[in-house]
Each structure stands twice: as C-alpha cells, then as structure tokens.
Amino acid sequence: MAKKTTPKPAEEMVDVVDENDRELLVMPLGEAHRQGLYHRAAMVLVYDPEGRLYLQKRAPHKDLYPGRFDLSATGHVQAGEAREEAAARELHEELGLTAKTLTPVDAAQASRETAYEFVTVFSAGRLADTPRPNPEELSGGMFVDEAELAALVRDYRDCLTPAVVHFFEKGTLFPRL
C-alpha cells in the first residue's frame, strides 16, 4: 500500500531580475534566495492616529531574521505582480488591514545587505484600524514613536531587521511634515 503524503503548498514564484531591476526569468523564491539572485520586495509603513509606527515581530520559523522586529508589513513581489499590489497583499495577509492609498516613500537597491532584493517602501499613512497579526506570518507587534525606535536602534539593534535600522537612519520612517 502506498504511503499517503500531504502535498506541500506551492512555493512562491518571483521574477528574478538583473542588477538594473530588469526581469530575466521566473523562479521559486527559495531557489532565488539559495542562489543569491536579485528579486523584488515591498514593505509597508502603518501608523496609528498618533503617528506611532507599527513594527511587526517576525515569526520564529522565518528563514531570515526570525523573531526580530521588522517594518509593519513586508514581503516579496510575486512573479508578474506590481510592487503596489504586493504591498497591499502583504498588508492584508500579515495585518488584516486595507489602506485607501499606498504611497511610495523610499527604495533600496538590491545588495547583499538587502538579501539581493530591490526594496520599495510604501506608506499606508495613519490608520484607525488595529493591526491583527496573522499568527502564521508574525509573532505579534507593537507601535513605537520616534524616540522609542531611536532607543531600540541605539541599544537593541540586533532585535531589529536591517531594514528597520537602514530606513530609520535614513530618515524615512518618521518624515517631517
């Protein structure tokens, strides 16, 4: 009698791109990571009505930066998907939120430090809805103000993903109005 197996979920497919962010081919995400190939990611900033930034806590099973605090919603741009579509999808999948608009606010070139991802950062602005972290994706999260995040970057840098540190130090996360 044949042994029954549970089918594995389909692996996420991404566009592999060149150093100029031009599409080359489609490949499973895990293979793109394994080979260190350029691909795309989208990140979303979510603020509460007081202007505090939501930091998600990455699940302990994540390949990269397990258990660290990351930007509000983050993920890969799937093959054939626009960056803004990926940002909206990740915002809904990870936090159960929908934004009226997603505004591009910054980007980072693909490099070893970004895990070979061309990163686009969007702002969902100030939302009245409370994030509902998806336990399959996240271990929770918290809102922080600029001073609190500055203290985390200064004293607990290794509890944060490189993206949080990079975009905080660049001045992206708490723009001056």
Side-chain angles (χ1 to χ4, degrees):
M1 188 161 115
K3 185 177 174 183
K4 288 188 176 184
T5 59
T6 304
K8 289 170 46 175
E11 184 162 7
E12 189 173 8
M13 301 297 283
V14 296
D15 290 317
V16 172
V17 297
D18 68 12
E19 66 278 359
N20 296 310
D21 198 15
R22 291 184 301 232
E23 295 171 8
L24 299 173
L25 58 114
V26 174
M27 176 181 286
L29 173 61
E31 188 61 21
H33 276 171
R34 190 183 73 69
Q35 292 187 42
L37 300 175
Y38 295 126
H39 55 290
R40 299 171 179 143
M43 300 182 170
V44 183
L45 308 176
V46 172
Y47 300 89
D48 68 8
E50 290 77 41
R52 297 178 302 163
L53 175 66
Y54 187 81
L55 297 179
Q56 63 158 274
K57 185 165 188 192
R58 294 176 62 80
H61 67 269
K62 293 290 190 178
D63 291 335
L64 293 175
Y65 314 113
R68 290 192 188 191
F69 285 97
D70 203 351
L71 298 177
S72 308
T74 66
H76 295 93
V77 178
Q78 295 177 354
E81 186 177 40
R83 288 170 166 90
E84 187 173 344
E85 291 171 331
R89 177 179 48 76
E90 292 294 343
L91 182 61
H92 188 264
E93 283 178 7
E94 293 184 347
L95 299 178
L97 297 173
T98 303
K100 289 181 184 171
T101 60
L102 290 171
T103 305
V105 293
D106 208 343
Q109 290 295 311
S111 68
R112 195 168 143 276
E113 291 74 33
T114 66
Y116 303 99
E117 296 170 355
F118 284 93
V119 177
T120 305
V121 180
F122 295 86
S123 175
R126 294 182 183 206
L127 301 179
D129 294 335
T130 302
R132 297 176 310 281
N134 177 346
E136 293 178 21
E137 298 270 346
L138 312 174
S139 293
M142 64 182 174
F143 282 101
V144 295
D145 64 25
E146 188 171 6
E148 291 166 330
L149 187 52
L152 289 171
V153 168
R154 183 186 65 240
D155 299 331
Y156 299 98
R157 187 176 286 251
D158 56 345
C159 293
L160 306 170
T161 64
V164 173
V165 173
H166 172 79
F167 289 111
F168 177 77
E169 291 178 341
K170 194 174 176 189
T172 300
L173 304 184
F174 293 94
R176 302 288 172 237
L177 300 175

